[in-house]
Coordinates of all heavy atoms in Angstrom, one line a residue:
M104 N 70.5 74.4 10.2 CA 69.4 75.4 10.3 C 69.2 76.2 9.0 O 68.1 76.6 8.7 CB 69.7 76.3 11.5 CG 68.6 77.3 11.8 SD 67.3 76.4 12.5 CE 66.2 77.7 12.9
A105 N 70.3 76.3 8.3 CA 70.2 77.1 7.0 C 69.4 76.3 6.0 O 68.7 76.9 5.2 CB 71.6 77.3 6.5
T106 N 69.4 75.0 6.0 CA 68.6 74.2 5.1 C 67.1 74.4 5.3 O 66.3 74.4 4.4 CB 69.0 72.8 5.1 OG1 68.8 72.3 6.4 CG2 70.4 72.5 4.7
N107 N 66.7 74.5 6.6 CA 65.3 74.7 6.9 C 64.9 76.1 6.4 O 63.7 76.2 6.0 CB 65.1 74.6 8.5 CG 65.2 73.2 8.9 OD1 65.1 72.3 8.1 ND2 65.4 73.0 10.2
M108 N 65.7 77.1 6.5 CA 65.3 78.4 6.1 C 65.2 78.4 4.5 O 64.3 79.1 4.0 CB 66.4 79.5 6.5 CG 66.3 79.8 8.0 SD 64.7 80.4 8.5 CE 64.9 82.1 7.9
E109 N 66.1 77.7 3.9 CA 66.0 77.7 2.4 C 64.8 77.0 1.9 O 64.1 77.4 1.0 CB 67.3 76.9 1.9 CG 68.6 77.7 2.0 CD 69.8 76.9 1.7 OE1 69.6 75.7 1.3 OE2 70.9 77.4 1.8
S110 N 64.4 75.9 2.6 CA 63.2 75.2 2.2 C 62.0 76.0 2.5 O 61.0 76.0 1.8 CB 63.1 73.8 2.9 OG 63.0 74.0 4.3
Y111 N 62.0 76.8 3.6 CA 60.9 77.7 3.9 C 60.7 78.8 2.9 O 59.7 79.1 2.4 CB 61.1 78.3 5.3 CG 60.0 79.3 5.7 CD1 58.7 78.8 5.9 CD2 60.2 80.6 5.7 CE1 57.7 79.7 6.2 CE2 59.2 81.5 6.0 CZ 58.0 81.1 6.3 OH 57.0 82.0 6.6
E112 N 61.9 79.3 2.5 CA 61.8 80.4 1.4 C 61.3 79.8 0.1 O 60.6 80.5 -0.6 CB 63.2 81.0 1.2 CG 63.7 81.9 2.3 CD 62.8 83.1 2.5 OE1 62.4 83.7 1.5 OE2 62.6 83.5 3.6
G113 N 61.7 78.6 -0.2 CA 61.2 78.0 -1.4 C 59.7 77.8 -1.4 O 59.0 78.0 -2.4
L114 N 59.1 77.4 -0.2 CA 57.7 77.2 -0.1 C 57.0 78.6 -0.2 O 55.9 78.7 -0.7 CB 57.4 76.5 1.2 CG 57.7 75.1 1.3 CD1 57.5 74.5 2.7 CD2 56.9 74.3 0.3
R115 N 57.6 79.6 0.4 CA 57.0 80.9 0.4 C 56.9 81.5 -1.0 O 56.0 82.3 -1.3 CB 57.8 81.8 1.3 CG 56.9 82.8 2.0 CD 57.6 83.5 3.1 NE 58.1 84.8 2.5 CZ 59.1 85.5 3.0 NH1 59.6 85.1 4.1 NH2 59.5 86.6 2.4
N116 N 57.8 81.2 -1.9 CA 57.9 81.7 -3.2 C 57.0 81.0 -4.2 O 56.8 81.4 -5.3 CB 59.3 81.8 -3.7 CG 60.2 82.7 -3.0 OD1 59.6 83.7 -2.4 ND2 61.4 82.5 -2.9
R117 N 56.4 79.8 -3.8 CA 55.6 79.1 -4.7 C 54.2 79.7 -4.9 O 53.7 80.4 -3.9 CB 55.4 77.6 -4.2 CG 56.6 76.8 -4.4 CD 56.4 75.4 -4.2 NE 55.2 74.9 -3.6 CZ 55.0 73.8 -3.0 NH1 56.0 73.0 -2.8 NH2 53.8 73.5 -2.5
P118 N 53.6 79.6 -6.0 CA 52.2 80.2 -6.2 C 51.2 79.4 -5.3 O 51.4 78.2 -5.1 CB 51.9 80.1 -7.7 CG 52.8 79.0 -8.1 CD 54.0 79.0 -7.3
N119 N 50.2 80.1 -5.0 CA 49.1 79.4 -4.2 C 48.4 78.5 -5.1 O 48.2 78.6 -6.3 CB 48.1 80.5 -3.7 CG 48.8 81.4 -2.7 OD1 49.7 81.0 -2.0 ND2 48.2 82.6 -2.5
A120 N 47.8 77.4 -4.5 CA 47.0 76.5 -5.2 C 45.7 77.1 -5.8 O 45.3 76.8 -6.9 CB 46.6 75.3 -4.3
H121 N 45.3 78.2 -5.1 CA 44.1 78.9 -5.6 C 44.3 79.5 -6.9 O 43.5 79.5 -7.8 CB 43.7 79.9 -4.5 CG 42.5 80.7 -5.0 ND1 41.2 80.2 -5.0 CD2 42.4 82.0 -5.3 CE1 40.4 81.2 -5.4 NE2 41.1 82.3 -5.6
S122 N 45.5 80.1 -7.1 CA 45.8 80.8 -8.4 C 46.0 79.8 -9.5 O 45.8 80.2 -10.7 CB 47.1 81.6 -8.2 OG 48.2 80.8 -8.0
V123 N 46.3 78.6 -9.2 CA 46.5 77.6 -10.3 C 45.2 77.2 -10.9 O 45.0 77.1 -12.1 CB 47.2 76.3 -9.8 CG1 47.2 75.2 -10.8 CG2 48.6 76.7 -9.3
Y124 N 44.1 77.1 -10.1 CA 42.8 76.6 -10.6 C 41.9 77.7 -11.0 O 41.0 77.5 -11.9 CB 42.1 75.8 -9.5 CG 42.9 74.5 -9.2 CD1 43.5 74.4 -8.0 CD2 43.0 73.5 -10.1 CE1 44.2 73.2 -7.7 CE2 43.7 72.4 -9.9 CZ 44.3 72.2 -8.6 OH 45.1 71.1 -8.4
T125 N 42.1 78.9 -10.6 CA 41.1 80.0 -10.9 C 41.7 80.9 -12.0 O 40.9 81.6 -12.6 CB 40.9 80.9 -9.7 OG1 42.1 81.5 -9.3 CG2 40.2 80.1 -8.6
G126 N 42.9 80.8 -12.4 CA 43.5 81.6 -13.4 C 44.0 82.9 -12.9 O 44.4 83.8 -13.7
V127 N 43.9 83.2 -11.7 CA 44.4 84.4 -11.1 C 45.9 84.3 -10.9 O 46.4 83.4 -10.3 CB 43.7 84.7 -9.7 CG1 44.3 86.0 -9.1 CG2 42.2 84.8 -9.9
D128 N 46.6 85.2 -11.5 CA 48.1 85.1 -11.5 C 48.6 86.3 -10.7 O 48.3 87.5 -11.1 CB 48.6 85.0 -12.9 CG 50.1 84.6 -12.9 OD1 50.6 84.3 -11.8 OD2 50.6 84.5 -14.0
D129 N 49.4 86.1 -9.7 CA 49.9 87.2 -8.9 C 51.0 88.0 -9.6 O 51.2 89.2 -9.3 CB 50.5 86.7 -7.6 CG 49.4 86.1 -6.7 OD1 48.2 86.5 -6.9 OD2 49.7 85.2 -5.9
E130 N 51.6 87.4 -10.6 CA 52.7 88.1 -11.3 C 52.2 88.9 -12.5 O 53.0 89.5 -13.2 CB 53.8 87.1 -11.8 CG 54.6 86.6 -10.6 CD 54.4 85.1 -10.5 OE1 54.0 84.4 -11.5 OE2 54.7 84.5 -9.4
G131 N 50.9 89.0 -12.7 CA 50.4 89.8 -13.8 C 50.5 89.2 -15.2 O 50.4 89.8 -16.2
G132 N 50.5 87.9 -15.2 CA 50.6 87.1 -16.5 C 49.2 87.0 -17.0 O 48.2 87.6 -16.6
E133 N 49.0 86.1 -18.1 CA 47.7 85.9 -18.7 C 46.9 85.0 -17.8 O 47.3 84.1 -17.2 CB 47.9 85.3 -20.1 CG 48.6 86.2 -21.0 CD 48.8 85.5 -22.4 OE1 49.2 84.3 -22.4 OE2 48.6 86.1 -23.4
S134 N 45.6 85.2 -17.9 CA 44.6 84.4 -17.2 C 44.3 83.2 -18.0 O 44.6 83.1 -19.2 CB 43.4 85.2 -16.8 OG 42.6 85.4 -18.0
V135 N 43.6 82.3 -17.4 CA 43.2 81.0 -18.1 C 42.3 81.4 -19.3 O 42.4 80.8 -20.4 CB 42.5 80.1 -17.2 CG1 42.0 78.9 -17.9 CG2 43.5 79.6 -16.1
E136 N 41.4 82.3 -19.1 CA 40.5 82.7 -20.2 C 41.2 83.3 -21.4 O 40.9 83.1 -22.5 CB 39.4 83.7 -19.7 CG 38.4 83.0 -18.7 CD 37.7 81.8 -19.4 OE1 37.3 81.9 -20.6 OE2 37.5 80.8 -18.7
E137 N 42.2 84.1 -21.1 CA 43.0 84.7 -22.2 C 43.8 83.6 -22.9 O 43.9 83.7 -24.1 CB 44.0 85.8 -21.6 CG 43.3 87.0 -21.1 CD 44.2 87.9 -20.4 OE1 45.4 87.5 -20.1 OE2 43.9 89.1 -20.1
L138 N 44.3 82.7 -22.2 CA 45.0 81.6 -22.9 C 44.1 80.7 -23.7 O 44.4 80.3 -24.8 CB 45.7 80.7 -21.8 CG 46.9 81.4 -21.1 CD1 47.4 80.5 -20.0 CD2 48.0 81.6 -22.1
R139 N 42.9 80.5 -23.2 CA 41.9 79.7 -24.0 C 41.5 80.5 -25.2 O 41.3 79.9 -26.3 CB 40.6 79.5 -23.1 CG 40.9 78.4 -22.1 CD 39.6 78.2 -21.3 NE 39.9 77.2 -20.2 CZ 39.1 77.0 -19.2 NH1 38.1 77.7 -19.0 NH2 39.4 76.1 -18.3
E140 N 41.3 81.8 -25.2 CA 41.0 82.6 -26.3 C 42.1 82.5 -27.4 O 41.9 82.4 -28.6 CB 40.7 84.0 -25.9 CG 40.3 84.9 -27.1 CD 39.1 84.4 -27.8 OE1 38.2 83.8 -27.2 OE2 39.0 84.6 -29.0
R141 N 43.4 82.6 -26.9 CA 44.5 82.5 -27.8 C 44.6 81.1 -28.5 O 44.9 81.0 -29.7 CB 45.8 82.8 -27.1 CG 46.1 84.2 -26.8 CD 47.4 84.5 -26.2 NE 48.5 83.9 -26.9 CZ 49.7 83.7 -26.4 NH1 49.9 83.9 -25.1 NH2 50.6 83.1 -27.1
L142 N 44.2 80.1 -27.7 CA 44.2 78.7 -28.2 C 43.1 78.6 -29.3 O 43.4 78.0 -30.4 CB 44.0 77.7 -27.1 CG 43.9 76.3 -27.5 CD1 45.3 75.8 -28.1 CD2 43.6 75.4 -26.3
R143 N 42.0 79.2 -29.1 CA 40.9 79.1 -30.1 C 41.3 79.9 -31.3 O 41.1 79.4 -32.5 CB 39.6 79.8 -29.5 CG 38.8 78.9 -28.6 CD 37.5 79.6 -28.2 NE 37.1 79.1 -26.9 CZ 37.2 79.9 -25.8 NH1 37.5 81.1 -25.9 NH2 36.8 79.4 -24.6
Q144 N 42.0 81.0 -31.2 CA 42.5 81.7 -32.4 C 43.5 80.9 -33.2 O 43.5 80.9 -34.4 CB 43.1 83.1 -32.0 CG 42.0 84.0 -31.4 CD 42.7 85.3 -30.9 OE1 43.9 85.4 -30.8 NE2 41.8 86.3 -30.5
M145 N 44.4 80.3 -32.4 CA 45.4 79.4 -33.1 C 44.8 78.3 -33.8 O 45.2 77.9 -35.0 CB 46.5 78.9 -32.1 CG 47.3 80.1 -31.6 SD 48.1 80.9 -32.9 CE 49.8 80.7 -32.5
K146 N 43.8 77.6 -33.2 CA 43.1 76.5 -33.9 C 42.4 77.0 -35.1 O 42.4 76.3 -36.2 CB 42.1 75.9 -32.9 CG 42.7 75.0 -31.9 CD 41.7 74.4 -31.0 CE 42.3 73.5 -30.0 NZ 41.3 72.8 -29.1
A147 N 41.8 78.2 -35.1 CA 41.1 78.7 -36.3 C 42.1 79.0 -37.4 O 41.9 78.7 -38.6 CB 40.4 80.0 -35.9
L148 N 43.3 79.5 -37.1 CA 44.3 79.8 -38.1 C 44.8 78.5 -38.7 O 45.0 78.4 -39.9 CB 45.5 80.5 -37.4 CG 45.3 82.0 -37.2 CD1 46.5 82.6 -36.4 CD2 45.1 82.8 -38.5
V149 N 45.0 77.5 -37.9 CA 45.5 76.2 -38.4 C 44.5 75.5 -39.3 O 44.8 75.0 -40.3 CB 45.9 75.3 -37.2 CG1 46.2 73.8 -37.7 CG2 47.1 75.8 -36.5
S150 N 43.2 75.6 -38.9 CA 42.1 75.0 -39.7 C 41.9 75.8 -41.1 O 41.5 75.2 -42.0 CB 40.8 75.0 -39.0 OG 40.3 76.3 -38.7
E151 N 42.3 77.1 -41.1 CA 42.1 77.8 -42.4 C 43.2 77.5 -43.4 O 43.1 77.7 -44.6 CB 42.1 79.3 -42.0 CG 40.9 79.8 -41.3 CD 40.9 81.2 -40.9 OE1 42.0 81.9 -41.2 OE2 40.0 81.7 -40.3
R152 N 44.4 77.1 -42.9 CA 45.5 76.9 -43.8 C 45.2 75.7 -44.7 O 44.6 74.7 -44.3 CB 46.8 76.6 -43.0 CG 47.4 77.8 -42.4 CD 48.6 77.6 -41.7 NE 49.3 76.3 -41.9 CZ 50.3 75.8 -41.2 NH1 50.7 76.5 -40.1 NH2 50.9 74.7 -41.5
P153 N 45.6 75.7 -46.0 CA 45.4 74.6 -46.8 C 46.3 73.4 -46.4 O 47.3 73.6 -45.8 CB 45.9 75.1 -48.2 CG 46.8 76.2 -47.9 CD 46.3 76.8 -46.6
N154 N 45.8 72.2 -46.6 CA 46.5 71.0 -46.2 C 47.6 70.7 -47.2 O 47.4 70.2 -48.3 CB 45.5 69.8 -46.2 CG 46.1 68.6 -45.5 OD1 47.2 68.6 -45.0 ND2 45.4 67.5 -45.6
T155 N 48.8 71.1 -46.8 CA 49.9 70.9 -47.7 C 50.8 69.8 -47.1 O 51.0 69.7 -45.9 CB 50.8 72.2 -47.8 OG1 51.2 72.6 -46.5 CG2 49.9 73.3 -48.5
R156 N 51.4 69.0 -48.0 CA 52.4 68.0 -47.6 C 53.8 68.4 -47.9 O 54.0 68.9 -49.0 CB 52.0 66.7 -48.2 CG 50.7 66.1 -47.8 CD 50.5 64.8 -48.4 NE 49.3 64.2 -47.9 CZ 49.1 63.0 -47.7 NH1 50.0 62.1 -47.9 NH2 48.0 62.5 -47.2
K157 N 54.7 68.1 -47.0 CA 56.0 68.5 -47.3 C 56.9 67.4 -47.8 O 58.0 67.6 -48.2 CB 56.6 69.1 -46.0 CG 55.9 70.4 -45.6 CD 56.6 71.0 -44.4 CE 55.8 72.3 -44.1 NZ 56.3 73.1 -43.0
S158 N 56.4 66.2 -47.6 CA 57.2 65.0 -48.1 C 56.7 64.6 -49.4 O 55.5 64.8 -49.8 CB 57.2 63.9 -47.1 OG 55.9 63.4 -47.0
G159 N 57.5 63.9 -50.2 CA 57.2 63.4 -51.5 C 56.6 62.1 -51.5 O 56.3 61.5 -52.5
I160 N 56.4 61.5 -50.3 CA 55.8 60.1 -50.2 C 54.3 60.2 -50.0 O 53.8 60.8 -49.1 CB 56.5 59.4 -49.0 CG1 58.0 59.3 -49.2 CG2 55.9 58.0 -48.9 CD1 58.7 58.8 -48.0
D161 N 53.6 59.6 -51.0 CA 52.2 59.6 -50.8 C 51.7 58.3 -50.2 O 52.5 57.4 -49.9 CB 51.5 59.8 -52.2 CG 51.8 58.7 -53.2 OD1 52.8 58.0 -53.0 OD2 51.1 58.6 -54.2
D162 N 50.4 58.2 -49.9 CA 49.8 57.1 -49.2 C 49.9 55.8 -50.0 O 50.2 54.7 -49.4 CB 48.4 57.4 -48.9 CG 48.2 58.5 -47.9 OD1 49.2 58.8 -47.2 OD2 47.1 59.1 -47.9
G163 N 49.8 55.8 -51.3 CA 49.8 54.6 -52.1 C 51.2 54.0 -52.1 O 51.4 52.8 -52.0
F164 N 52.2 54.8 -52.3 CA 53.6 54.3 -52.2 C 53.9 53.7 -50.9 O 54.6 52.7 -50.8 CB 54.6 55.5 -52.6 CG 56.0 55.1 -52.5 CD1 56.5 54.3 -53.5 CD2 56.8 55.5 -51.5 CE1 57.9 53.9 -53.5 CE2 58.2 55.1 -51.5 CZ 58.7 54.3 -52.5
L165 N 53.5 54.4 -49.8 CA 53.8 53.9 -48.5 C 53.1 52.6 -48.3 O 53.6 51.6 -47.6 CB 53.3 54.9 -47.5 CG 53.9 54.8 -46.1 CD1 55.4 54.9 -46.1 CD2 53.3 55.9 -45.2
S166 N 51.9 52.4 -48.8 CA 51.1 51.1 -48.6 C 51.9 50.0 -49.4 O 52.0 48.9 -48.9 CB 49.7 51.3 -49.2 OG 49.0 52.2 -48.5
V167 N 52.4 50.3 -50.6 CA 53.1 49.3 -51.3 C 54.4 48.9 -50.6 O 54.7 47.7 -50.5 CB 53.5 49.8 -52.7 CG1 54.4 48.9 -53.5 CG2 52.2 50.0 -53.5
V168 N 55.1 49.8 -50.0 CA 56.3 49.5 -49.3 C 56.0 48.6 -48.1 O 56.7 47.6 -47.8 CB 57.0 50.8 -48.8 CG1 58.2 50.5 -47.8 CG2 57.6 51.5 -50.1
F169 N 55.0 49.0 -47.3 CA 54.6 48.2 -46.1 C 54.1 46.8 -46.5 O 54.4 45.8 -45.9 CB 53.6 48.9 -45.3 CG 54.1 49.9 -44.4 CD1 53.5 51.2 -44.3 CD2 55.3 49.7 -43.7 CE1 54.1 52.2 -43.5 CE2 55.9 50.7 -42.9 CZ 55.2 52.0 -42.8
A170 N 53.4 46.7 -47.7 CA 53.0 45.4 -48.1 C 54.2 44.5 -48.5 O 54.2 43.3 -48.2 CB 52.0 45.5 -49.3
M171 N 55.2 45.1 -49.2 CA 56.3 44.3 -49.5 C 57.1 43.9 -48.3 O 57.6 42.7 -48.2 CB 57.2 45.2 -50.4 CG 56.7 45.4 -51.8 SD 57.6 46.5 -52.9 CE 59.2 45.6 -52.9
I172 N 57.2 44.7 -47.3 CA 57.9 44.4 -46.1 C 57.1 43.2 -45.4 O 57.8 42.3 -44.9 CB 58.0 45.6 -45.1 CG1 59.0 46.6 -45.7 CG2 58.4 45.2 -43.7 CD1 59.1 47.9 -45.0
L173 N 55.8 43.3 -45.3 CA 55.0 42.2 -44.7 C 55.2 40.9 -45.5 O 55.3 39.8 -44.9 CB 53.5 42.6 -44.7 CG 52.6 41.6 -44.1 CD1 52.9 41.4 -42.6 CD2 51.1 42.1 -44.3
A174 N 55.3 41.0 -46.8 CA 55.5 39.8 -47.6 C 56.8 39.2 -47.4 O 56.9 37.9 -47.2 CB 55.3 40.1 -49.1
V175 N 57.8 40.0 -47.2 CA 59.2 39.4 -47.0 C 59.2 38.8 -45.6 O 59.8 37.7 -45.4 CB 60.2 40.6 -47.1 CG1 61.6 40.2 -46.5 CG2 60.4 41.0 -48.5
I176 N 58.6 39.4 -44.6 CA 58.6 38.9 -43.2 C 57.8 37.5 -43.2 O 58.3 36.6 -42.6 CB 58.0 39.9 -42.2 CG1 58.9 41.0 -42.0 CG2 57.7 39.2 -40.9 CD1 58.4 42.2 -41.3
A177 N 56.7 37.5 -43.9 CA 55.9 36.2 -44.0 C 56.7 35.1 -44.7 O 56.7 34.0 -44.2 CB 54.6 36.5 -44.7
F178 N 57.4 35.5 -45.8 CA 58.2 34.5 -46.5 C 59.3 33.9 -45.6 O 59.6 32.7 -45.6 CB 58.8 35.1 -47.8 CG 59.7 34.1 -48.5 CD1 59.2 33.0 -49.2 CD2 61.0 34.3 -48.5 CE1 60.0 32.1 -49.9 CE2 61.9 33.4 -49.1 CZ 61.4 32.3 -49.8
V179 N 60.0 34.8 -45.0 CA 61.2 34.4 -44.1 C 60.7 33.5 -43.0 O 61.3 32.5 -42.6 CB 61.9 35.6 -43.6 CG1 62.9 35.3 -42.5 CG2 62.7 36.3 -44.8
S180 N 59.5 33.9 -42.4 CA 58.9 33.1 -41.3 C 58.6 31.7 -41.8 O 58.9 30.7 -41.1 CB 57.7 33.8 -40.7 OG 58.1 35.0 -40.2
L181 N 57.9 31.6 -42.9 CA 57.5 30.3 -43.5 C 58.7 29.5 -43.8 O 58.7 28.3 -43.6 CB 56.6 30.5 -44.7 CG 55.2 31.0 -44.4 CD1 54.5 31.3 -45.7 CD2 54.4 30.0 -43.6
Y182 N 59.7 30.1 -44.4 CA 60.9 29.4 -44.7 C 61.6 28.8 -43.5 O 62.1 27.7 -43.4 CB 61.9 30.3 -45.5 CG 63.2 29.6 -45.9 CD1 63.2 28.6 -46.9 CD2 64.4 29.9 -45.2 CE1 64.4 28.0 -47.2 CE2 65.6 29.3 -45.5 CZ 65.6 28.3 -46.5 OH 66.8 27.7 -46.8
A183 N 61.7 29.6 -42.4 CA 62.3 29.2 -41.2 C 61.5 28.0 -40.6 O 62.1 27.0 -40.1 CB 62.4 30.4 -40.2
F184 N 60.2 28.1 -40.5 CA 59.4 27.0 -40.0 C 59.5 25.7 -40.8 O 59.6 24.6 -40.3 CB 57.9 27.4 -39.8 CG 57.7 28.2 -38.6 CD1 57.3 29.5 -38.7 CD2 57.9 27.7 -37.3 CE1 57.1 30.3 -37.6 CE2 57.7 28.4 -36.2 CZ 57.3 29.7 -36.3
Y185 N 59.6 25.9 -42.2 CA 59.7 24.7 -43.1 C 61.1 24.1 -42.8 O 61.2 22.9 -42.7 CB 59.6 25.2 -44.5 CG 59.9 24.1 -45.5 CD1 59.0 23.1 -45.7 CD2 61.1 24.0 -46.2 CE1 59.2 22.0 -46.6 CE2 61.4 23.0 -47.1 CZ 60.4 22.0 -47.3 OH 60.7 21.0 -48.2
T186 N 62.1 24.9 -42.7 CA 63.5 24.4 -42.4 C 63.5 23.7 -41.1 O 64.1 22.6 -41.0 CB 64.5 25.5 -42.5 OG1 64.4 26.2 -43.7 CG2 65.9 25.0 -42.4
L187 N 62.9 24.2 -40.1 CA 62.8 23.6 -38.8 C 62.1 22.3 -38.9 O 62.5 21.2 -38.3 CB 62.2 24.5 -37.8 CG 62.0 24.0 -36.3 CD1 63.4 23.8 -35.7 CD2 61.2 25.0 -35.5
Y188 N 61.0 22.2 -39.6 CA 60.2 21.0 -39.7 C 61.0 19.9 -40.4 O 61.0 18.8 -40.0 CB 58.9 21.3 -40.6 CG 58.1 20.1 -40.9 CD1 57.3 19.5 -39.9 CD2 58.2 19.5 -42.2 CE1 56.6 18.3 -40.2 CE2 57.5 18.4 -42.5 CZ 56.7 17.8 -41.5 OH 56.0 16.7 -41.8
I189 N 61.7 20.2 -41.5 CA 62.6 19.3 -42.2 C 63.7 18.8 -41.2 O 64.0 17.6 -41.2 CB 63.2 19.9 -43.4 CG1 62.1 20.2 -44.4 CG2 64.2 19.0 -44.1 CD1 61.2 19.0 -44.9
A190 N 64.3 19.6 -40.4 CA 65.4 19.2 -39.5 C 64.8 18.3 -38.4 O 65.5 17.3 -38.1 CB 66.0 20.5 -38.9
V191 N 63.7 18.6 -37.9 CA 63.1 17.7 -36.9 C 62.7 16.4 -37.5 O 62.8 15.3 -36.9 CB 61.9 18.4 -36.2 CG1 61.0 17.5 -35.4 CG2 62.3 19.6 -35.4
Q192 N 62.1 16.4 -38.7 CA 61.7 15.2 -39.4 C 63.0 14.3 -39.6 O 62.9 13.1 -39.5 CB 61.0 15.5 -40.7 CG 60.3 14.3 -41.3 CD 59.5 14.7 -42.5 OE1 59.8 15.8 -43.1 NE2 58.6 13.9 -42.9
K193 N 64.1 14.9 -40.1 CA 65.3 14.1 -40.3 C 65.8 13.5 -39.0 O 66.3 12.4 -38.9 CB 66.3 15.0 -41.0 CG 66.1 15.2 -42.4 CD 67.3 16.0 -43.0 CE 67.1 16.3 -44.5 NZ 68.1 17.1 -45.0
R194 N 65.7 14.3 -37.9 CA 66.3 13.9 -36.6 C 65.5 12.7 -36.1 O 66.0 11.8 -35.5 CB 66.2 15.1 -35.7 CG 66.6 14.8 -34.3 CD 68.1 14.7 -34.1 NE 68.5 14.7 -32.7 CZ 68.9 13.6 -32.1 NH1 69.1 12.5 -32.8 NH2 69.3 13.6 -30.8
W195 N 64.2 12.7 -36.2 CA 63.3 11.7 -35.6 C 62.7 10.8 -36.6 O 61.7 10.2 -36.3 CB 62.2 12.4 -34.8 CG 62.7 13.3 -33.7 CD1 62.8 14.6 -33.7 CD2 63.3 12.8 -32.4 NE1 63.4 15.1 -32.5 CE2 63.7 14.0 -31.7 CE3 63.5 11.6 -31.9 CZ2 64.2 13.9 -30.5 CZ3 64.0 11.5 -30.6 CH2 64.4 12.7 -29.9
S196 N 63.3 10.6 -37.7 CA 62.8 9.7 -38.7 C 62.9 8.3 -38.2 O 63.8 7.9 -37.5 CB 63.5 9.9 -40.1 OG 64.8 9.5 -39.9
S197 N 62.0 7.4 -38.7 CA 62.0 6.0 -38.2 C 63.0 5.2 -38.9 O 63.4 4.1 -38.4 CB 60.6 5.4 -38.4 OG 60.3 5.4 -39.8
T198 N 63.5 5.5 -40.1 CA 64.5 4.8 -40.8 C 65.9 5.3 -40.5 O 66.1 6.5 -40.8 CB 64.2 4.8 -42.3 OG1 64.2 6.2 -42.8 CG2 62.9 4.2 -42.7
P199 N 66.7 4.5 -40.0 CA 68.1 5.0 -39.8 C 68.9 5.1 -41.1 O 68.7 4.4 -42.0 CB 68.7 3.9 -38.9 CG 67.9 2.7 -39.2 CD 66.6 3.1 -39.6
E200 N 69.7 6.1 -41.1 CA 70.5 6.4 -42.3 C 71.7 5.5 -42.2 O 72.3 5.3 -41.2 CB 70.9 7.9 -42.3 CG 69.8 8.8 -42.5 CD 70.2 10.2 -42.6 OE1 71.5 10.5 -42.7 OE2 69.4 11.1 -42.5
L201 N 72.1 5.0 -43.4 CA 73.4 4.2 -43.5 C 74.6 5.1 -43.6 O 74.6 6.0 -44.4 CB 73.2 3.2 -44.7 CG 72.1 2.2 -44.6 CD1 72.0 1.5 -45.9 CD2 72.3 1.3 -43.5
K202 N 75.6 4.7 -43.0 CA 76.8 5.5 -43.1 C 77.8 4.9 -44.1 O 77.9 3.8 -44.4 CB 77.5 5.5 -41.7 CG 76.7 6.3 -40.7 CD 77.5 6.5 -39.5 CE 76.6 7.3 -38.5 NZ 77.3 7.6 -37.3

């Protein structure tokens, strides 16, 4: 019986669905309109700040690094397929090898 009372108390302490959608807060907190206004102010502050970078890596260097990684991956893939082709060709060649 104690668990039913605890669950009832938990339901009673939850905010109403009406307060979630209308911005009316029973505890005296900020309304939705006040939060939206604060968000607009924060967006304005962020847009006014100069665009500064904190890392020393620029876009050109990053592009070169990714291009080199792509080239290495392509080379390793081609080498693996070439090696596999040679192995299959040796295995299924029509001329038997002499021992």
Side-chain angles (χ1 to χ4, degrees):
M104 186 70 177
T106 58
N107 288 340
M108 288 299 282
E109 290 171 2
S110 64
Y111 176 71
E112 287 296 321
L114 288 175
R115 214 170 94 194
N116 292 334
R117 288 190 351 201
N119 295 333
H121 178 71
S122 68
V123 173
Y124 295 111
T125 60
V127 176
D128 195 1
D129 294 337
E130 287 119 19
E133 293 179 317
S134 70
V135 173
E136 289 302 321
E137 290 172 348
L138 290 173
R139 286 181 181 161
E140 183 59 33
R141 284 184 53 203
L142 180 63
R143 280 189 210 107
Q144 291 173 355
M145 291 303 239
K146 283 183 180 179
L148 284 174
V149 169
S150 66
E151 290 174 1
R152 286 183 15 194
N154 190 7
T155 58
R156 293 185 178 215
K157 295 185 179 182
S158 67
I160 301 174
D161 61 341
D162 294 337
F164 178 72
L165 199 58
S166 297
V167 169
V168 168
F169 281 135
M171 289 175 60
I172 290 170
L173 180 64
V175 167
I176 291 172
F178 175 75
V179 169
S180 299
L181 289 174
Y182 179 74
F184 281 115
Y185 175 75
T186 306
L187 180 65
Y188 174 76
I189 296 298
V191 168
Q192 192 175 21
K193 284 182 182 179
R194 173 81 169 106
W195 299 103
S196 65
S197 60
T198 58
E200 294 182 9
L201 298 175
K202 291 185 181 184

